[in-house]
Amino acid sequence: MIARYFPAMKRERRAITLAAIILLQALCAIFFVGDVIFDLSHGDHLDDLHLILEAVAALALCAGVIYLMRELRDLLNRMAAMELGIRAARGEMADLIDAFFDQWRLTPSEREIALMVLKGIDNDSIAKMRGTAQGTVRAQCTRIYAKAQVDGRPQLLSIFMEELLNVGEG
Amino acid sequence: MSVSSTSDCGRSGARSVAVWDPLVRLIHWGLALTIVLNGAVVDEESALHEWVGYVALGLIGVRLTWGLFGSRHARLSAFPPNPAAALRHLVALSRGDTTVHLSHNPLGALMVYNIWATVLFLGATGYMMGTMQFFGVDWVEEAHEIAFNWLLVSIVLHIGGVLFDSWWTGVPLVRSMIDGRKRVPRDRSVE
């Protein structure tokens, strides 16, 4: 259920399933290859239809395993690239936020609160987390909005959204 | 409070890197299971002992194949057997070096090849015992026994090494073999 909202988790699960199938199929392939070799060494010949079918099945299994392994490797590479991209984006976002906070000359405690506001935490919870009165948080928020020259929470957020969305157009 | 310290490393101050892919993990624990089964659970004379042995050989075969063209950290070229490097690693440890190796460290890499080789040898001698040619031949059975004892020693060293390295570098290695991610403390350099 949760996986539906987190594509990364879904891919992770797909990789695990793929790996399990590869492993099972590989063990089956080894079994059939071994069986064919055993039959050959015990007097059967390749002109026997049954043995030919078995040999073909064994080869098909081996080919399938190699193919699935390549699929798994590509999937893992894609996942790694995506993780790298997300990490880079996070770093950029953090730099961007830092730059704005510097520009607005926020005090250290204002930076902390502004970050919590950006993360969508309400004043009530911020006050609890920081062990201060709600009134203090409200007053600090007002100062932050004043320094950033916005009307309130949604506008503060929109400053960063705008920066992010502009990248695509510029 | 710096923004970056909270947004990309989480509360623990460590960054997590996906290292062991699911196939590596499944094979690792599968091999551990076959060793436990054949070493302590299954009757040595039984047909099941032979089948479990075949599965162990199969697991290593799949791992070696995966090691040729698999994911980045799973490739054998990521941790070549290199005794000189292992020695250098030991010297570095004695100097207090806490560099984190994303794949195996050089010493751990040697242990990996040692355990695979030992299990392959166990499989080979075990198979020979079942053939007409070598049935009841003493040296084959003795070799199988000695190889098993060597495997036990290796496993103790392996677990000891994992525990030591987890403590030394601060990367919970056992957990990384379960969920595939190494959590590297911020202040560690990575190789």
Side-chain angles (χ1 to χ4, degrees):
Chain A
M1 274 186 320
I2 299 168
R4 200 184 310 152
Y5 304 104
F6 295 96
M9 244 160 106
K10 205 162 137 193
R11 276 189 295 272
E12 174 86 29
R13 221 189 279 167
R14 231 181 102 203
I16 293 174
T17 312
L18 199 51
I21 292 173
I22 288 172
L23 200 53
L24 275 179
Q25 192 171 331
L27 291 177
C28 294
I30 291 166
F31 174 82
F32 276 107
V33 169
D35 194 47
V36 169
I37 292 171
F38 180 86
D39 286 349
L40 276 177
S41 63
H42 282 73
D44 281 12
H45 293 287
L46 262 183
D47 49 6
D48 177 17
L49 187 63
H50 182 81
L51 193 60
I52 291 173
L53 281 178
E54 258 186 9
V56 170
L59 280 177
L61 276 171
C62 290
V65 167
I66 299 294
Y67 184 79
L68 285 180
M69 276 182 169
R70 294 176 57 139
E71 283 288 299
L72 177 62
R73 184 197 54 195
D74 293 347
L75 175 65
L76 291 167
N77 283 346
R78 275 202 302 279
M79 283 164 67
M82 216 168 283
E83 199 176 297
L84 217 62
I86 288 173
R87 191 172 292 164
R90 271 185 200 148
E92 299 266 311
M93 189 66 194
D95 287 346
L96 180 72
I97 293 174
D98 265 335
F100 270 107
F101 286 5
D102 287 343
Q103 193 190 319
W104 299 334
R105 301 184 191 287
L106 299 188
T107 64
S109 56
E110 281 169 356
R111 292 177 88 103
E112 260 181 67
I113 290 168
L115 193 62
M116 290 193 215
V117 169
L118 287 182
K119 285 179 174 172
I121 306 170
D122 60 50
N123 288 356
D124 212 10
S125 312
I126 295 177
K128 263 184 213 146
M129 274 191 252
R130 294 175 51 81
T132 54
Q134 266 193 59
T136 317
V137 175
R138 256 204 306 277
Q140 281 168 314
C141 281
T142 311
R143 267 204 303 281
I144 294 168
Y145 300 148
K147 283 181 176 178
Q149 296 178 316
V150 295
D151 291 336
R153 236 166 227 270
Q155 270 210 335
L156 186 71
L157 267 171
S158 70
I159 289 179
F160 295 98
M161 279 315 286
E162 202 172 14
E163 282 299 319
L164 283 181
L165 295 177
N166 272 344
V167 174
E169 291 163 16
Chain B
M1 184 177 67
S2 156
V3 173
S4 54
S5 71
T6 54
S7 56
D8 68 70
C9 66
R11 253 159 277 136
S12 55
R15 65 206 157 107
S16 97
V17 190
V19 177
W20 302 128
D21 64 68
L23 193 56
V24 168
R25 283 178 271 153
L26 280 173
I27 291 173
H28 174 271
W29 294 113
L31 190 62
L33 181 70
T34 58
I35 291 171
V36 168
L37 280 178
N38 261 2
V41 182
V42 175
D43 177 21
E44 289 168 22
E45 307 287 329
S46 66
L48 187 59
H49 184 86
E50 284 177 30
W51 282 110
V52 173
Y54 288 138
V55 170
L57 291 183
L59 288 173
I60 294 178
V62 177
R63 181 64 186 86
L64 291 176
T65 313
W66 185 235
L68 294 181
F69 64 92
S71 71
R72 186 176 153 206
H73 298 289
R75 251 173 268 164
L76 301 183
S77 56
F79 54 98
N82 186 344
L87 218 59
R88 277 201 298 280
H89 180 63
L90 273 180
V91 173
L93 283 184
S94 68
R95 287 190 190 139
D97 180 16
T98 56
T99 300
V100 170
H101 296 261
L102 276 188
S103 189
H104 300 286
N105 71 48
L107 209 55
L110 280 190
M111 181 52 82
V112 172
Y113 291 108
N114 166 45
I115 288 181
W116 289 345
T118 309
V119 172
L120 289 177
F121 184 79
L122 272 166
T125 49
Y127 174 77
M128 283 162 75
M129 271 193 257
T131 60
M132 298 298 264
Q133 216 176 339
F134 292 98
F135 184 77
V137 176
D138 277 346
W139 70 262
V140 179
E141 275 181 43
E142 269 166 36
H144 196 72
E145 282 293 318
I146 291 170
F148 179 65
N149 288 333
W150 174 244
L151 184 63
L152 289 185
V153 172
S154 302
I155 289 169
V156 170
L157 287 174
H158 165 56
I159 295 173
V162 165
L163 293 180
F164 170 78
D165 199 72
S166 302
W167 168 74
W168 183 257
T169 62
V171 180
L173 289 185
V174 178
R175 194 164 157 201
S176 77
M177 198 39 96
I178 294 171
D179 69 6
R181 307 187 74 86
K182 281 197 178 178
R183 284 158 188 81
V184 183
R186 279 268 142 193
D187 52 344
R188 297 286 195 271
S189 54
V190 171
E191 222 168 75

